[in-house]
Amino acid sequence: MRPSLASANAPSMADTLPSINFGFDDLRDRMARFTDRFDEFIAKGRKRVLEERNQFRLNVAELQEDQRLKKKELEILSQKTQAHAHSLSKEAAETAEMRAAIASITTQRDLRASHRDRLRVEITLTQKLINQRLAAQQQHTKEMDAQARFNEPELGFWMDYLCLRIEGAGRDDRLKFVFDHVDERSWEREAWFEVDTERRDYRVVTVRPKLDGEEVERRVERWNENRDLGMFLKGMRGLFVAAMK
């Protein structure tokens, strides 16, 4: 059955319900304000976090720089401490060395003083010995002069007889006796020896060509005993002639 027209124009049930205002616009505004405040809070929080992070980084950098400076200061202090310790050690070593040097100098001074006193005594004794030797030398010179005057004619004879000449040996107290005609194969070949006349007992110091040392010493001893120069020269020539055969 179709409904009637009157019923179609009648108000609906919804129209008969009471009107209710839910406040969506106000809610939207409140939500928008909340969102703005929330976004502002988030932005401020992010900014604060960023600032705190930057500040933290600055603080860390400052702490690292302070630590670096402190480390550098500690290194400098350590170096100064080591240098000071080295200086103290060096000063101690120099002090010990100086004390040792002073002790050594003191010892040397005492030794030199003692040595000086001994030298004074030795100089005194040496001077006495020199005076004695000078007196003996003067006496020996007188005897030599007398012997030379006595032997001069005889020496000339032996020089001619033995084919001998007498030369200087480069020193006042030495004479060189040179023989020729001692080698039958070569009459020009020479033989010689040097005599040291510094002391009363003569010494033959050099012989060319070389002779038997015992034979030479035996003739020198006999010469010192009898002072017979001729016999000594004759004996030396005989040794040379025998050595060149």
Side-chain angles (χ1 to χ4, degrees):
M1 177 174 145
R2 294 180 63 181
S4 63
L5 182 61
S7 61
N9 293 328
S12 66
M13 187 177 292
D15 292 334
T16 64
L17 292 175
S19 178
I20 300 174
N21 186 9
F22 287 99
F24 285 109
D25 294 334
D26 181 58
L27 180 60
R28 187 181 299 108
D29 292 337
R30 291 175 60 188
M31 288 298 294
R33 289 194 299 271
F34 174 77
T35 300
D36 293 338
R37 288 196 300 270
F38 183 75
D39 290 341
E40 183 181 359
F41 173 77
I42 293 300
K44 289 181 179 180
R46 185 181 293 113
K47 182 179 180 182
R48 184 173 62 254
V49 170
L50 183 60
E51 290 176 351
E52 289 178 353
R53 181 184 298 171
N54 292 335
Q55 185 63 39
F56 176 76
R57 290 178 178 174
L58 289 174
N59 292 338
V60 170
E62 290 178 355
L63 288 175
Q64 289 177 346
E65 181 65 17
D66 290 341
Q67 185 178 8
R68 188 185 68 81
L69 293 176
K70 294 295 183 183
K71 185 178 179 181
K72 187 66 175 179
E73 290 177 357
L74 288 175
E75 290 177 355
I76 294 174
L77 182 60
S78 176
Q79 292 176 358
K80 289 183 178 180
T81 302
Q82 292 178 359
H84 182 64
H86 179 70
S87 297
L88 291 178
S89 176
K90 185 177 180 181
E91 290 178 359
E94 289 177 352
T95 300
E97 184 179 356
M98 187 176 298
R99 289 178 178 173
I102 292 173
S104 177
I105 292 173
T106 302
T107 302
Q108 291 179 4
R109 181 198 62 190
D110 296 340
L111 290 175
R112 288 176 179 175
S114 177
H115 183 62
R116 179 194 60 199
D117 295 339
R118 289 197 303 271
L119 283 178
R120 288 177 177 174
V121 175
E122 291 178 0
I123 289 172
T124 301
L125 296 176
T126 303
Q127 188 62 47
K128 291 181 179 179
L129 182 60
I130 289 174
N131 294 335
Q132 293 175 358
R133 288 186 177 181
L134 284 175
Q137 184 66 31
Q138 291 174 357
Q139 181 64 30
H140 178 62
T141 301
K142 292 179 180 179
E143 294 177 357
M144 287 290 294
D145 291 342
Q147 184 70 25
R149 288 192 297 270
F150 177 77
N151 288 334
E152 185 174 354
E154 183 181 0
L155 183 60
F157 167 77
W158 287 114
M159 290 176 65
D160 293 337
Y161 179 72
L162 299 177
C163 298
L164 167 71
R165 71 176 186 272
I166 301 175
E167 300 176 351
R171 290 176 51 176
D172 294 339
D173 53 1
R174 289 193 182 182
L175 292 175
K176 183 176 182 181
F177 296 84
V178 184
F179 295 103
D180 55 26
H181 290 75
V182 291
D183 188 353
E184 295 179 355
R185 293 165 296 183
S186 176
W187 293 117
E188 291 79 12
R189 185 180 179 185
E190 295 181 344
W192 57 271
F193 64 91
E194 291 183 3
V195 175
D196 183 359
T197 62
E198 180 181 7
R199 301 178 181 178
R200 189 177 187 282
D201 289 340
Y202 304 130
R203 294 185 308 119
V204 173
V205 293
T206 308
V207 180
R208 293 292 183 276
K210 188 175 181 179
L211 300 176
D212 187 332
E214 292 183 358
E215 291 293 334
V216 173
E217 186 64 27
R218 187 178 300 112
R219 282 161 176 75
V220 172
E221 290 180 356
R222 190 177 303 123
W223 179 29
N224 286 323
E225 290 175 358
N226 57 30
R227 295 295 176 177
D228 190 338
L229 177 61
M231 293 303 297
F232 169 71
L233 294 175
K234 184 177 180 181
M236 290 296 294
R237 179 180 175 82
L239 292 177
F240 282 126
V241 170
M244 291 184 180
K245 286 184 178 180

